């Protein structure tokens, strides 16, 4: 039962990633593109976690932690650049 | 791993996957940027919480130990989602993006945009 639900969830997250890529290309404004990138990295963390359950290993969690930290920093830096025209004032 | 644990894990995983799918669908379907902010910051974060709980339970019952990394990822995602939403809403207001006509209290956007940073030097 766990194998079947893992496959279903992998397909669901893949469809969500395709939707995010479509939203990233469509736009139309810059904050919406940043929001799509933000959702894209959060969903990819989910994909890595599910893959970790499939493999029954805990090596992937450190990659997920790195993506979570760097993704938030990059989103904050992009928003700050759009708000003030400068990142570190 | 017995049947009950597999059932709980499957239910949590399916809940998380559905919420992530709903969040990404809302990102496409909702009309303007201010309503689009709601879908990923709320639904996707809740779905990630469900998937992380399932992952923690799997590690606990499969390897017999609770790992710190998943707890850290949960904490980090739950802290960073409201901050991201706030920053993006501020950016959208400063870029003067159009809101839909049904938005209530739309005149307050001007007030919020022109508000200056607090001045602490006069204390």
């Amino acid at each position: 039962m766990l194998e079947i639900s893992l496959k279903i969830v992998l397909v669901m997250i893949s469809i969500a990633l395709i939707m995010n890529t479509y939203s990233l290309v469509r736009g139309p404004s810059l904050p919406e593109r940043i929001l799509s990138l933000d959702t894209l990295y959060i969903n990819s963390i989910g994909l890595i976690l599910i893959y970790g359950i499939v493999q029954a290993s805990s090596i992937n969690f450190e990659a997920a932690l790195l993506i979570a930290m760097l993704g938030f920093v990059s989103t904050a830096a992009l928003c700050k650049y759009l708000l003030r025209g400068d990142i570190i004032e | 791993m017995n049947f009950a644990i597999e059932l709980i894990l499957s239910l949590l995983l399916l809940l998380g996957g559905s919420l992530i799918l709903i969040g990404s669908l809302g990102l496409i379907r909702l009309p303007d940027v201010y309503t689009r902010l709601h879908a990923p910051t709320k639904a996707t974060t809740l779905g990630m919480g469900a998937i992380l709980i399932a992952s923690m339970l799997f590690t606990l019952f499969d390897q017999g130990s609770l790992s710190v990394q998943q707890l850290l990822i949960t904490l980090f995602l739950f802290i960073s989602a409201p901050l991201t939403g706030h920053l993006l809403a501020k950016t959208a207001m400063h870029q003067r993006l159009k809101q839909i006509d049904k938005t209530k209290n739309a005149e307050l956007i001007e007030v919020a945009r022109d508000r200056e940073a607090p001045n602490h030097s006069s204390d």
Side-chain angles (χ1 to χ4, degrees):
Chain A
M1 186 170 61
L2 192 58
E3 287 80 16
I4 301 171
S5 55
L6 278 173
K7 274 174 192 155
I8 294 172
V9 175
L10 277 177
V11 171
M12 275 177 173
I13 297 181
S14 306
I15 295 171
L17 286 172
I18 293 171
M19 281 178 179
N20 291 333
T21 314
Y22 169 71
S23 171
L24 176 66
V25 173
R26 181 189 64 176
S29 66
L30 281 175
E32 284 163 311
R33 289 179 207 263
I34 299 175
L35 183 63
S36 307
L37 271 179
D38 189 72
T39 320
L40 196 69
Y41 87 77
I42 291 179
N43 289 353
S44 66
I45 295 171
L47 198 66
I48 288 174
L49 286 173
I50 300 292
Y51 192 59
I53 297 181
V54 171
Q55 279 191 326
S57 76
S58 59
I59 303 172
N60 297 313
F61 298 139
E62 317 209 344
L65 189 58
L66 270 179
I67 292 177
M69 293 169 63
L70 291 180
F72 170 65
V73 171
S74 67
T75 308
L78 280 171
C79 285
K80 199 77 184 155
Y81 180 66
L82 285 186
L83 267 175
R84 307 281 298 174
D86 204 351
I87 295 173
I88 301 171
E89 295 176 48
Chain B
M1 217 179 291
N2 60 24
F3 180 74
I5 297 169
E6 279 205 17
L7 186 67
I8 293 171
L9 281 181
S10 303
L11 284 180
L12 276 173
L13 283 174
L14 287 176
L15 179 72
S18 322
L19 279 169
I20 282 179
L21 197 57
I22 288 168
S24 298
L25 193 64
L27 191 63
I28 289 184
R29 290 283 298 166
L30 286 171
D32 69 340
V33 60
Y34 303 102
T35 49
R36 265 178 209 157
L37 273 174
H38 287 279
T41 52
K42 296 190 186 74
T44 306
T45 311
L46 188 60
M48 282 303 297
I51 284 184
L52 279 158
I53 288 173
S55 176
M56 273 193 233
L57 283 177
F58 180 79
T59 318
L60 182 63
F61 286 111
D62 189 58
Q63 300 170 359
S65 67
L66 200 59
S67 75
V68 190
Q69 282 113 337
Q70 285 133 311
L71 208 62
L72 270 178
I73 296 170
T74 319
L75 202 68
F76 213 86
L77 281 182
F78 276 51
I79 290 173
S80 69
L83 290 175
T84 309
H86 178 74
L87 269 174
L88 278 168
K90 245 171 116 178
T91 313
M93 279 195 321
H94 276 268
Q95 299 239 322
R96 295 168 198 276
L97 298 180
K98 290 266 184 297
Q99 67 271 20
I100 52 171
D101 295 332
K102 281 192 288 185
T103 308
K104 288 182 181 172
N105 300 326
E107 72 276 4
L108 290 179
I109 292 180
E110 291 291 329
V111 183
R113 188 191 295 137
D114 294 337
R115 195 172 66 178
E116 295 193 348
N119 187 10
H120 292 297
S121 62
S122 62
D123 293 339

